[in-house]
Amino acid sequence: GQPLDVFLTKYLFEPLGMSNTFIMEDPARIVKRRAIGYQRTNGRWHQWTQGSAGPGGRGLYTCVDDLYRWDQNFYNNRLSTGKYFTEFITEGTLLGNRNVVDATPTGTYRGVKRIQFTGGMPGYVAAMTQFPDQQFTAICLCNNSTIAPWQINARIADLYLANDLEPVQNKVDHEAARRSEDEETAVDEAELRNKVGAFRLRADGRIWRIVFRNGRLLVIDHLNNAIPLIPVGRDRFQPAGGFFEETARFEFTRTAPESPFSLTSRWNGG
């Protein structure tokens, strides 16, 4: 019976002293020290400001100092406890099987336990990476959506937890070798057209579409941006521009000649 912002402020933020954290209920509200987001689209930079209320993670405004207070509560809890809260604060799951905040919050990094929370929207990206056994956390908030904050957190951990981490295994970067051999390739129109369709992202269910226009394929993302796909093979393409880095590649695969395609996007080999 309460607005989400009122509930969270009363039961979470105020008890932890998170005085600069709230859910944005009024998009016209003036917020002191607010960071404006920046998004690069088709080679140009644009400011990104939120024009509507968002009750979920997109509507959460916070800062590093407050996230530090939230982080410390995992080790010395000051909030009211209950079954679901206990599951969340100890394992990052609810109802025994539902991961919260991130798809796989609990894992390892170079041999040590890691719990990682990530998020983003156009113009903003964030990552909070906990190493609970060392009681060490790296927090990176950024108003430039071309940066990968989880990679920055990993580099911070490499420095501060050097004595606890396993040695880095040298791996052959097969994807980098493939990229070095990529060249723009002529592909028959029929081969392009048979890849047209809608593709649902496994991570969050959003829909991207592949369309054929003016003799080439384009990817239409969930924000209706149209990015050309340059063929570097019959089933391998490089997105040209948008928010994609130069290392990005799209690969179409199918299990049988007449079966639907699956689409894999690879960024920096991931």
Side-chain angles (χ1 to χ4, degrees):
Q2 296 177 325
L4 182 60
D5 181 48
V6 174
F7 176 86
L8 293 179
T9 298
K10 179 179 179 180
Y11 292 103
L12 294 181
F13 303 148
E14 286 185 349
L16 297 183
M18 299 172 66
S19 58
N20 290 302
T21 300
F22 60 91
I23 295 290
M24 177 65 84
E25 299 280 1
D26 177 9
R29 174 179 174 180
I30 296 175
V31 181
K32 294 178 61 176
R33 302 185 300 277
R34 175 181 179 179
I36 301 298
Y38 292 87
Q39 171 87 6
R40 188 172 63 185
T41 305
N42 296 327
R44 297 182 59 188
W45 286 98
H46 302 272
Q47 287 188 351
W48 183 279
T49 56
Q50 188 166 331
S52 60
R58 177 171 291 213
L60 177 68
Y61 283 62
T62 189
C63 61
V64 170
D65 288 343
D66 278 5
L67 286 178
Y68 167 77
R69 296 180 177 95
W70 171 257
D71 170 73
Q72 292 302 293
N73 198 65
F74 281 80
Y75 307 112
N76 183 23
N77 180 44
R78 297 161 57 190
L79 301 177
S80 300
T81 61
K83 175 184 177 182
Y84 300 130
F85 179 85
T86 301
E87 286 191 34
F88 169 78
I89 206 168
T90 56
E91 298 296 336
T93 61
L94 292 177
L95 304 177
N97 66 347
R98 297 187 182 184
N99 291 321
V100 294
V101 185
D102 213 351
T104 53
T106 304
T108 61
Y109 176 71
R110 293 181 59 186
V112 301
K113 183 178 180 181
R114 177 183 68 182
I115 302 176
Q116 181 162 270
F117 310 96
T118 65
M121 58 181 289
Y124 302 91
V125 283
M128 181 171 173
T129 308
Q130 294 178 331
F131 298 89
D133 293 340
Q134 290 75 27
Q135 293 197 15
F136 179 84
T137 298
I139 302 170
C140 180
L141 311 179
C142 191
N143 62 333
N144 175 342
S145 58
T146 66
I147 289 176
W150 43 89
Q151 294 178 357
I152 292 177
N153 286 355
R155 291 164 59 187
I156 293 172
D158 290 341
L159 293 173
Y160 282 86
L161 302 180
N163 295 332
D164 297 291
L165 301 176
E166 293 179 352
V168 176
Q169 300 295 324
N170 293 324
K171 297 181 180 179
V172 178
D173 192 345
H174 298 287
E175 181 61 24
R178 290 189 67 189
R179 288 198 304 270
S180 68
E181 299 175 354
D182 284 343
E183 294 183 357
E184 188 167 355
T185 306
V187 178
D188 292 340
E189 180 176 329
E191 286 288 346
L192 296 176
R193 287 185 177 277
N194 69 6
K195 296 174 176 61
V196 169
F199 294 80
R200 185 186 302 278
L201 276 66
R202 287 182 175 175
D204 54 25
R206 290 180 292 183
I207 300 294
W208 285 13
R209 293 183 294 121
I210 303 296
V211 301
F212 182 83
R213 293 178 185 170
N214 301 322
R216 70 190 330 177
L217 290 182
L218 296 91
V219 56
I220 312 295
D221 67 16
H222 56 285
L223 298 175
N224 212 35
N225 297 312
I227 299 103
L229 296 178
I230 300 173
V232 292
R234 191 180 74 171
D235 299 319
R236 182 174 166 88
F237 296 80
Q238 178 180 356
F243 54 82
F244 292 101
E245 301 295 328
E246 292 183 359
T247 59
R249 295 295 185 272
F250 280 25
E251 292 185 355
F252 294 84
T253 57
R254 62 194 338 176
T255 56
E258 301 302 323
S259 66
F261 277 104
S262 292
L263 173 59
T264 300
S265 63
R266 302 185 184 278
W267 300 28
N268 296 317

